[in-house]
């Protein structure tokens, strides 16, 4: 039997591309969508795609009144947590593609998911190249004691660092805490140029025209460095296959929060 899906943020940059992917996907049926601007019509009317006959609602609570197996969160940080908690309250599993949620937000989400016996799969990035970067970086951190992370994004991205880099820094920090050659408090000049500390590592967020989304981790040890970098272009298509896989796999995960697409990949 197929899974009924509710998509929040269905008319956004990533959500609209995912909606078109859902229209062609086997085993997944888009039954409702959330978009305040287009509420009252169908998603097909909003996106110009006759295959998408799901009704559009202004809020997640309204959309969840229909039976939903999996809720896809693709909105904004200021509404994401409330949407996720509402979906769990209605008995749906959740896939999170929205960036900008804090560790405290995820702790509350994890608690709610466990209480409801549902799984939440939060992915900072659905692109396979980024998932591989995370895995390669975790392996490198086992052998190289020092690293720093650079977060690239377009000039208007409000959250810094991105959800992708938050996830990367957290995962590397679980492998080990990176070593600093000089304690931050001994920095001379402008301390802020050393970046912010996340997962024990220094993270530097670049927001400039010409970038879309990207992440780079630089590992260093005496007389050698290793650089791993992921770059994304202007299309949201690279994220569709990963998101569809997450939607299919999240009902099979144990109750609670799971971070990263690799949780449902055999790598």
């Amino acid at each position: 039997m197929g899974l009924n899906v509710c998509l929040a943020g269905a008319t956004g940059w990533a959500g609209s591309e995912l909606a078109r992917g859902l229209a062609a996907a086997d085993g997944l049926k888009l039954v409702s969508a959330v978009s305040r601007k287009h509420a009252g019509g169908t998603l097909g009317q909003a996106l110009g795609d006759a295959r998408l006959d799901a009704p559009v609602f202004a809020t997640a609570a309204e959309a969840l009144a229909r039976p939903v197996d999996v809720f896809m969160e693709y909105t904004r940080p200021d509404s994401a947590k409330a949407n996720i908690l509402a979906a769990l309250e209605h008995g749906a599993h959740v896939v999170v593609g929205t960036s900008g949620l804090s560790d405290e937000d995820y702790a509350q989400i994890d608690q709610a998911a466990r209480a409801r016996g549902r799984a939440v799969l939060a992915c900072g990035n659905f692109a396979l190249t980024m998932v591989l970067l995370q895995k390669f970086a975790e392996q490198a951190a086992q052998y190289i004691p020092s690293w720093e992370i650079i977060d690239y994004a377009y000039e208007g991205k409000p959250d810094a660092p991105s959800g992708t880099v938050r996830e990367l820094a957290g995962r590397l920090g679980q492998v080990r805490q990176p070593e600093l050659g000089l304690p931050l408090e001994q920095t001379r000049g402008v301390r802020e140029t050393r970046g912010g500390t996340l997962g024990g590592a220094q993270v530097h967020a670049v927001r400039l025209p010409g970038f879309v989304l990207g992440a780079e981790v630089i590992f260093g040890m005496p007389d050698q460095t290793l650089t791993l970098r992921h770059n994304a272009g202007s299309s949201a298509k690279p994220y569709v296959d990963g998101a569809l896989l997450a939607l299919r796999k999240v009902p099979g995960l144990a109750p609670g929060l799971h971070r990263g697409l690799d949780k449902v990949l055999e790598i």
Side-chain angles (χ1 to χ4, degrees):
M1 294 182 63
L3 296 171
N4 289 337
V5 177
C6 174
L7 174 57
T11 58
W13 176 71
S16 59
E17 198 65 54
L18 176 57
R20 296 184 180 95
L22 282 164
D26 294 329
L28 297 170
K29 180 174 177 55
L30 185 57
V31 297
S32 59
V34 181
S35 174
R36 192 175 300 276
K37 181 179 179 181
H38 298 280
T42 68
L43 191 55
Q45 291 170 335
L47 299 181
D49 190 329
R51 300 174 300 168
L52 299 169
D53 58 358
V56 182
F57 299 90
T59 67
E62 293 173 300
L64 288 161
R66 293 188 163 213
V68 171
D69 299 304
V70 184
F71 180 85
M72 178 74 203
E73 166 52 40
Y74 242 154
T75 62
R76 303 180 308 276
D78 57 356
S79 58
K81 184 171 77 168
N83 288 348
I84 295 165
L85 294 176
L88 292 171
E89 185 64 27
H90 280 78
H93 299 282
V94 181
V95 174
V96 183
T98 304
S99 64
L101 292 170
S102 68
D103 291 339
E104 292 75 15
D105 291 331
Y106 278 124
Q108 184 177 351
I109 290 167
D110 179 51
Q111 184 178 20
R114 292 176 185 273
R116 297 294 297 180
R118 292 294 181 268
V120 176
L121 178 57
C123 302
N125 200 303
F126 290 105
L128 181 58
T129 51
M130 185 61 212
V131 176
L132 291 173
L133 184 151
Q134 289 176 331
K135 296 300 290 185
F136 297 156
E138 287 176 319
Q139 293 174 338
Q142 297 178 39
Y143 301 98
I144 305 176
S146 301
W147 61 85
E148 298 198 9
I149 301 171
I150 305 176
D151 172 31
Y152 299 97
Y154 58 94
E155 71 275 22
K157 186 172 178 58
D159 54 311
S162 66
T164 297
V165 166
R166 283 180 180 274
E167 184 178 311
L168 174 61
R171 292 173 64 140
L172 293 180
Q174 292 176 3
V175 176
R176 69 156 81 174
Q177 290 292 291
E179 298 177 5
L180 279 176
L182 181 75
L184 295 175
E185 59 271 16
Q186 296 182 22
T187 301
R188 296 178 182 177
V190 182
R191 159 66 182 83
E192 289 77 10
T193 61
R194 290 291 293 117
T197 304
L198 191 64
Q202 295 312 110
V203 178
H204 312 267
V206 177
R207 298 291 181 267
L208 284 173
F211 291 110
V212 180
L213 294 171
E216 181 176 6
V217 54
I218 304 172
F219 293 90
M221 56 195 309
D223 291 331
Q224 53 187 319
T225 62
L226 170 68
T227 300
L228 300 173
R229 179 163 174 169
H230 156 81
N231 289 313
S234 59
S235 167
K237 290 182 179 179
Y239 311 113
V240 173
D241 289 342
L244 293 175
L245 177 65
L247 290 168
R248 291 188 174 101
K249 294 291 188 178
V250 67
L253 296 174
L257 174 69
H258 305 265
R259 301 288 293 271
L261 184 63
D262 63 298
K263 295 297 187 296
V264 294
L265 291 175
E266 296 180 0
I267 57 173

